[in-house]
């Protein structure tokens, strides 16, 4: 029997991938499955981006690149941030990474160890907690509450900080709730962080360009007073429908940048060159397809929220960002994971049970609207029939 290190007894994963595997298995067995479990846009990467990737390979860009990424891409990221947010960032502190996930992996590795506390959103992206546990740090959930419209509360977050807190993970717009934390709350949080200079902040803004109802995403980059301890996580996966290209970027404080670079050298050397050239085309080319995609998500959001609220014993707040609805199903009498599983097996609709996103996820399911309006309507109909039949 091989003996691996104890940390692997504590590592978790993303159940969304297991649901996807089961949904695929059922579909291959001939069942008609509607997948609302998925966390990736159901759109093609815009053609001009695909062409740039192909051209890069034809032009001979198939070798290693510098570990932090090719300079024109890091400069394009800085220019894009300036265009969108009016904030200057140093391209020399931008790391190109193979997907947004890698930034959280690195940041949590840098601050997690036994004796350290790391705060993270619950419900939230499951990899935060998984990696915190892997490092031996204490995971401290920051509750994300329905009655606060799934924004985080500055006061509650600050109240959880102790002298042992090393890292605070934030995510807005949020997975799985679609919650967007308003500017005032973020102002309050940053003001309070002045009392805790030992706390680094990892802000996961991967859905930053997906907000609705005219609500502006408030980036943590807007606060120069925390720039020396801010790690910003962003990437191309969601904004440009590029999940499979494995391309993300992060901004690091000067003190941490070289550690991130060393981790990349030890783990993967660099992101594949063609993806990086495609990333430049994404940032510098036309943005209309990306905007159209968000407009389409907005239309579907209306369909999904109205449809969920019409289901027996289900209520759903209007999500303000990302492409997820997060209905409260506690009044159905089902445990959330059992409901998600029964919906898949019996009604052919894949959704994710809230507990897959944290302890506070009980009573909720995540419904992704990265699927066609027609499929969303069919899924809602099936869910309604299923719940009505079970209640009868
Ligand atoms: N952060 C959040 C909140 C996410 O939902 C996801 C993907 O679902 C990621 C990060 C990871 O993105 P990537 O596919 O670029 O690694």
């Amino acid at each position: 029997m091989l003996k691996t290190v104890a940390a692997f007894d504590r590592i978790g994963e993303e159940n969304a991938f297991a649901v996807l595997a089961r949904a695929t298995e059922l579909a291959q067995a001939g069942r008609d499955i509607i997948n609302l479990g998925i966390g990736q846009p159901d759109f093609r990467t815009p053609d001009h981006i695909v062409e740039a990737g192909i051209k890069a390979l034809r032009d001979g860009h198939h070798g290693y690149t510098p570990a932090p990424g090719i300079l024109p891409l890091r400069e394009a990221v800085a220019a894009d941030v300036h265009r969108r947010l009016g904030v200057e960032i140093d391209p020399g502190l931008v790391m190109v990474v193979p997907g947004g996930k890698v930034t959280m992996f690195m940041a949590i590795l840098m601050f997690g160890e036994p004796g350290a506390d790391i705060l993270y959103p619950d419900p939230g992206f499951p990899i935060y907690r998984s990696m915190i546990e892997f490092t031996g740090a204490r995971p401290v959930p920051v509750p994300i509450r329905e009655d606060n419209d799934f924004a985080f509360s500055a006061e509650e977050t600050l109240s959880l900080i102790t002298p042992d807190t090393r890292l605070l993970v934030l995510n807005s717009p949020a997975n799985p709730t679609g919650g967007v934390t308003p500017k005032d709350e973020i102002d309050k949080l940053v003001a309070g962080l002045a009392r805790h200079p030992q706390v680094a902040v990892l802000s996961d803004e991967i859905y930053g360009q997906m907000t609705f109802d005219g609500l502006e995403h408030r980036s943590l980059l807007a606060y120069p007073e925390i720039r020396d301890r801010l790690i910003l996580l962003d990437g191309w996966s969601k904004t440009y429908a590029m999940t499979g290209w494995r391309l993300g970027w992060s901004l690091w404080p000067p003190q941490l940048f070289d550690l991130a670079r060393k981790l990349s050298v030890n783990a993967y050397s660099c992101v594949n060159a063609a993806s990086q050239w495609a990333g430049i085309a994404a940032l510098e080319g036309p943005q209309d397809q990306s905007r159209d995609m968000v407009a389409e998500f907005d239309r579907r959001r209306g369909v999904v929220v109205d449809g969920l609220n019409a289901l027996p014993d289900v209520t759903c707040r209007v999500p303000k960002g990302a492409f997820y609805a997060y209905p409260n199903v506690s009044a159905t009498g089902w445990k959330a994971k059992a409901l998600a599983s029964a919906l898949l097996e019996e009604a052919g609709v894949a959704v994710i049970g809230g507990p897959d996103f944290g302890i506070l996820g009980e009573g909720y399911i995540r419904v992704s609207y990265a699927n066609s309006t027609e499929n969303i309507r069919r899924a809602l109909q099936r869910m309604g029939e299923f719940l009505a039949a079970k209640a009868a």
Side-chain angles (χ1 to χ4, degrees):
M1 187 68 177
L2 305 176
K3 183 158 168 46
T4 54
V5 300
F8 284 96
D9 299 339
R10 302 187 301 262
I11 199 164
E13 58 190 314
E14 250 187 282
N15 202 38
F17 284 105
V19 173
L20 181 62
R22 180 66 186 145
T24 308
E25 198 175 88
L26 289 171
Q28 276 165 356
R31 293 275 308 276
D32 174 24
I33 303 295
I34 306 168
N35 195 342
L36 305 186
I38 196 92
Q40 67 180 341
D42 57 315
F43 295 89
R44 288 173 62 95
T45 304
D47 284 348
H48 68 280
I49 302 176
V50 174
E51 289 307 323
I54 294 168
K55 179 172 184 306
L57 289 173
R58 293 221 167 95
D59 289 351
H61 294 294
H62 39 60
Y64 292 124
T65 77
I70 54 174
L71 192 57
L73 179 55
R74 299 165 75 201
E75 287 173 344
V77 166
D80 179 60
V81 165
H82 188 255
R83 218 168 18 241
R84 286 191 293 113
L85 307 172
V87 173
E88 300 271 353
I89 62 169
D90 176 358
L93 298 175
V94 171
M95 277 275 304
V96 177
V97 284
K101 228 177 210 177
V102 177
T103 301
M104 68 186 79
F105 184 83
M106 289 181 170
I108 295 169
L109 277 186
M110 280 182 206
F111 291 99
E113 63 180 338
D117 284 1
I118 299 186
L119 273 56
Y120 69 102
D122 183 336
F125 191 57
I127 300 307
Y128 307 139
R129 187 184 172 105
S130 164
M131 277 306 298
I132 296 166
E133 300 219 63
F134 182 75
T135 64
R138 187 167 73 105
V140 180
V142 175
I144 305 296
R145 300 181 192 282
E146 182 177 1
D147 57 13
N148 199 25
D149 245 344
F150 298 119
F152 57 79
S153 144
E155 196 183 328
E156 193 166 18
T157 306
L158 291 164
S159 76
L160 293 167
I161 296 179
T162 70
D164 294 328
T165 307
R166 298 261 191 92
L167 178 67
L168 163 64
V169 181
L170 303 172
N171 175 220
S172 173
N175 179 7
T177 59
V180 176
T181 302
K183 173 182 175 296
D184 287 359
E185 208 58 29
I186 299 182
D187 287 350
K188 256 194 261 170
L189 179 79
V190 173
L193 283 174
R195 296 195 302 276
H196 307 285
Q198 88 284 7
V199 178
V201 177
L202 167 63
S203 185
D204 180 343
E205 303 187 9
I206 197 108
Y207 297 100
Q209 292 184 66
M210 293 183 165
T211 57
F212 308 115
D213 302 335
L215 190 71
E216 280 212 6
H217 159 61
R218 179 67 171 171
S219 173
L220 271 285
L221 283 173
Y223 302 87
E225 61 270 46
I226 56 161
R227 194 65 82 70
D228 61 349
R229 49 179 161 141
L230 173 69
I231 302 157
L232 194 100
L233 181 162
D234 206 330
W236 286 257
S237 297
K238 319 283 173 174
T239 316
Y240 298 102
M242 290 178 73
T243 49
W245 294 73
R246 305 316 298 139
L247 188 65
W249 63 267
S250 29
L251 180 74
W252 299 83
Q255 192 198 336
L256 303 180
F257 179 81
D258 211 47
L259 304 185
R261 186 193 60 76
K262 279 186 186 154
L263 277 176
S264 73
V265 170
N266 277 271
Y268 57 83
S269 298
C270 63
V271 175
N272 92 67
S275 282
Q276 295 193 50
W277 288 97
I280 297 177
L283 297 177
E284 293 183 346
Q287 302 297 308
D288 48 322
Q289 289 184 61
S290 184
R291 277 196 285 268
D292 289 351
M293 183 170 77
V294 176
E296 176 60 20
F297 282 141
D298 192 5
R299 282 188 287 274
R300 295 174 187 176
R301 180 178 65 127
V303 174
V304 107
V305 171
D306 290 351
L308 287 166
N309 277 313
L311 297 180
D313 299 318
V314 175
T315 56
C316 184
R317 295 223 169 197
V318 179
K320 294 292 197 298
F323 41 76
Y324 309 110
Y326 195 64
N328 186 326
V329 295
S330 53
T332 62
W334 284 82
K335 288 277 187 199
K337 282 194 64 142
L339 177 60
S341 166
L343 282 171
L344 177 57
E345 301 293 333
E346 297 177 41
V349 177
V351 296
I352 314 284
D356 284 332
F357 301 98
I359 301 154
L360 294 174
E362 187 53 82
Y364 298 86
I365 56 173
R366 188 190 79 174
V367 179
S368 159
Y369 44 95
N371 206 323
S372 67
T373 303
E374 190 199 336
N375 279 341
I376 290 169
R377 287 192 204 282
R378 285 201 306 133
L380 288 163
Q381 164 119 23
R382 289 186 191 181
M383 289 164 83
E385 285 164 5
F386 173 86
L387 287 170
K390 295 289 171 184

